[in-house]
Structures are given as C-alpha cells and as structure tokens.
Amino acid sequence: MVRRDALRLWDPKGWRLEAGAMEYTGSQYIGEYVDGRMEGDAEYLLPTETKYVGEMKDGMFHGQGTLYFPSGSRFDAVWEKGLVVKGTYTFSDGLQYEAEHWHYCDSCDRRFYTEICHGLKPAGISQLTNMDPPRKIPEGCYDCGDGFYNPATRIIKDYRNRFLRNADDDEHEWIIRTCRKGWDEIVGHRLKL
C-alpha cells in the first residue's frame, strides 16, 4: 500500500516514490512507475529482508523475477499478476529443489546434501544437520531450520536473534516432536537403581 500523498510528480511521464511512502508495510521499493503504479524493472525489499529483483506490472510481480531470502537461498521464477507460473528454488548451499525426482533426505537416502557432496564421516561421528558443525542451540530451545524456537515464549527467532514469527499450535507440536533440542537427554535403555 502506497499513500498517494507520498508520491510526487517527478516528470510528466512518471512518478517518483519519496522516502517513507511505504511506512505502513515496512517495505522499500526501488524502481520505475507507470501512471503512479509500480511497473518495470524493480527491487522490492520486504520487512523480513527478503528481496525481490525483477519485473513488476500494475504493482505486482510479473515477468522474470527472483526472491532472495536472508538465509542465502533464492527462488527464480516467472510470475504472472503476482502468482508463480514456474520457478526454481535453490538452497543457500547450492542444492536445487526438484518437485519430481527429489532424492535429498528422502526415505531411501537419509544423507544430508553436504554428505552427498563430500562423503560420510567415519563411524561414530554423526552429522546432525546439513551444516557441519551444526549451530549451537540456545538452552531450552529447538533448532527448527530457519531459526530457534523457544517453547516457553512460542517465538521463533532467526540465527541472528531477530524475531521471525509466533508458532501456532500445529508448528509448536511439530517442532517439539521432530526438531533438535538445545539440551541433552538420556535416550535408550536406562538402568534401574
């Protein structure tokens, strides 16, 4: 949403966005305008630091464009009126997601991508995440992939300790059930004393 009074006439053929015009969304737009609408080649920075670089039409992603995520991953796509027509997601380590023939960490092959690229470690030295060595999880928290989850506050923060989101009940249960913990627990057989 861009306030009309935040735009000023730049020349007879176009509009220019003044500083602070997107204060309501926290977004930033650097690009061309046609009849007061975001249109043409552009950069659009979201408050989450995700950045879109590509073509826009009538204020929407339209044409070739790439979303760059703070984690280092990216999504290259063809867009039509804000919707993806086709695209390719590339993780920060270079692995490209394929909807068909996906062989990374599936039921047949549980190796991480870095293990596929660089081989397995010797017996007794387990690799716990794709990143080796793994990130240190704060005490009482869980590593949920894009950040750390604190079950006491139900808040997920990124690896630079910035707020990402509040977990709903489904995500809370999934994280508690499946994600790495920031503390040690005894697993397996326990001796009775």
Side-chain angles (χ1 to χ4, degrees), residues 10-26:
W10 180 42
D11 64 39
K13 297 179 183 175
W15 293 88
R16 180 175 162 200
L17 186 66
E18 289 294 310
M22 301 187 93
E23 64 191 51
Y24 299 116
T25 63

Side-chain angles (χ1 to χ4, degrees), residues 18-183:
E18 289 294 310
M22 301 187 93
E23 64 191 51
Y24 299 116
T25 63
S27 300
Q28 294 177 346
Y29 176 76
I30 302 166
E32 303 169 7
Y33 287 87
V34 174
D35 296 326
R37 297 179 185 267
M38 296 180 279
E39 197 158 307
D41 292 329
E43 287 188 24
Y44 191 92
L45 183 63
L46 295 128
T48 60
E49 295 186 17
T50 297
K51 179 170 70 170
Y52 173 82
V53 177
E55 300 172 77
M56 298 206 40
K57 184 174 182 178
D58 198 21
M60 296 179 277
F61 301 166
H62 189 84
Q64 294 286 122
T66 302
L67 282 170
Y68 296 93
F69 299 96
S71 65
S73 59
R74 62 187 281 166
F75 183 64
D76 300 291
V78 175
W79 305 80
E80 188 171 319
K81 297 181 181 178
L83 301 175
V84 174
V85 175
K86 65 178 180 176
T88 304
Y89 184 85
T90 306
F91 294 91
S92 59
D93 61 9
L95 174 66
Q96 283 193 342
Y97 175 75
E98 298 174 17
E100 297 177 24
H101 312 297
W102 179 248
H103 298 294
Y104 168 67
C105 220
D106 63 10
S107 60
C108 298
D109 185 353
R110 300 298 298 164
R111 292 179 296 167
F112 291 105
Y113 183 62
T114 52
E115 291 176 311
I116 293 169
C117 293
H118 305 293
L120 295 171
K121 295 192 174 294
I125 303 174
S126 298
Q127 186 167 326
L128 301 173
T129 67
N130 191 52
M131 179 183 286
D132 192 43
R135 288 184 171 94
K136 180 162 175 35
I137 304 169
E139 183 72 28
C141 294
Y142 294 80
D143 181 357
C144 60
D146 59 345
F148 298 118
Y149 175 63
N150 184 335
T153 61
R154 295 179 74 117
I155 292 175
I156 298 171
K157 292 185 177 181
D158 69 11
Y159 298 114
R160 293 185 283 181
N161 204 31
R162 295 178 305 172
F163 176 84
L164 288 178
R165 66 185 175 279
N166 291 312
D168 63 16
D169 291 339
D170 291 337
E171 187 173 26
H172 170 83
E173 293 302 323
W174 179 84
I175 291 171
I176 300 298
R177 189 177 64 252
T178 62
C179 294
R180 280 190 327 119
K181 299 172 175 80
W183 64 93

